């Protein structure tokens, strides 16, 4: 039996340069994981995009805030949606030097 890992990523106004590449990489995840994307009041279309991508991958859970709660506040909001036994908090501006990290995850 595998453990589900919940990955929480707060997002704010980085749709094109950070959010899309990050999610693209995660969608290759071979492990048992869910990605909780918390939009922190973005004005660049992030909220709409994560709602759309969540329709394509049931492991992606969109959480929308009308206000920027900061990194900690975004994590706290996302944590309310966790269903996994393990939780990982990641900033969306983490540089993914290993583009296949999610394939190795799990």
């Amino acid at each position: 039996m595998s453990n589900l890992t919940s990955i929480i990523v707060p997002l704010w106004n980085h749709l094109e340069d950070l959010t899309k590449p990050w999610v693209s990489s995660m969608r290759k995840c071979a492990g048992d994981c869910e990605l909780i994307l918390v939009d922190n009041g973005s004005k660049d279309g992030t909220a709409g995009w994560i709602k759309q991508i969540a329709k394509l991958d049931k492991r992606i859970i969109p959480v929308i805030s009308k206000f920027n709660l900061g990194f900690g506040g975004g994590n706290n909001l996302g944590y309310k949606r966790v269903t996994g036994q393990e939780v990982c908090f990641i900033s969306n501006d983490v540089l993914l030097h290993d583009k296949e990290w999610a394939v190795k995850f799990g």
Side-chain angles (χ1 to χ4, degrees):
M1 181 171 142
S2 67
N3 288 336
L4 176 68
T5 300
S6 299
I7 303 168
I8 300 172
V9 184
L11 308 165
W12 186 69
N13 287 338
H14 288 287
L15 180 60
E16 293 300 325
D17 59 340
L18 299 174
T19 304
K20 285 185 177 182
W22 210 95
V23 171
S24 175
S25 178
M26 181 275 165
R27 290 189 69 204
K28 298 176 186 174
C29 179
D32 194 8
C33 56
E34 66 182 2
L35 180 63
I36 300 170
L37 298 174
V38 182
D39 178 63
N40 248 338
S42 297
K43 305 296 183 211
D44 66 349
T46 297
W49 187 80
I50 63 173
K51 287 178 186 177
Q52 287 299 111
I53 199 74
K55 292 177 184 177
L56 302 175
D57 190 331
K58 65 180 178 158
R59 299 172 306 154
I60 297 176
I61 300 163
V63 178
I64 311 300
S65 174
K66 292 183 179 183
F67 306 101
N68 186 340
L69 304 173
F71 184 71
N75 281 319
N76 289 334
L77 192 59
Y79 189 77
K80 293 177 182 181
R81 298 291 304 275
V82 164
T83 61
Q85 295 81 20
E86 299 175 358
V87 180
C88 178
F89 299 93
I90 300 179
S91 174
N92 79 319
D93 60 359
V94 167
L95 296 175
L96 298 173
H97 295 291
D98 181 354
K99 299 297 183 193
E100 299 297 315
W101 75 274
V103 175
K104 300 171 187 171
F105 189 84

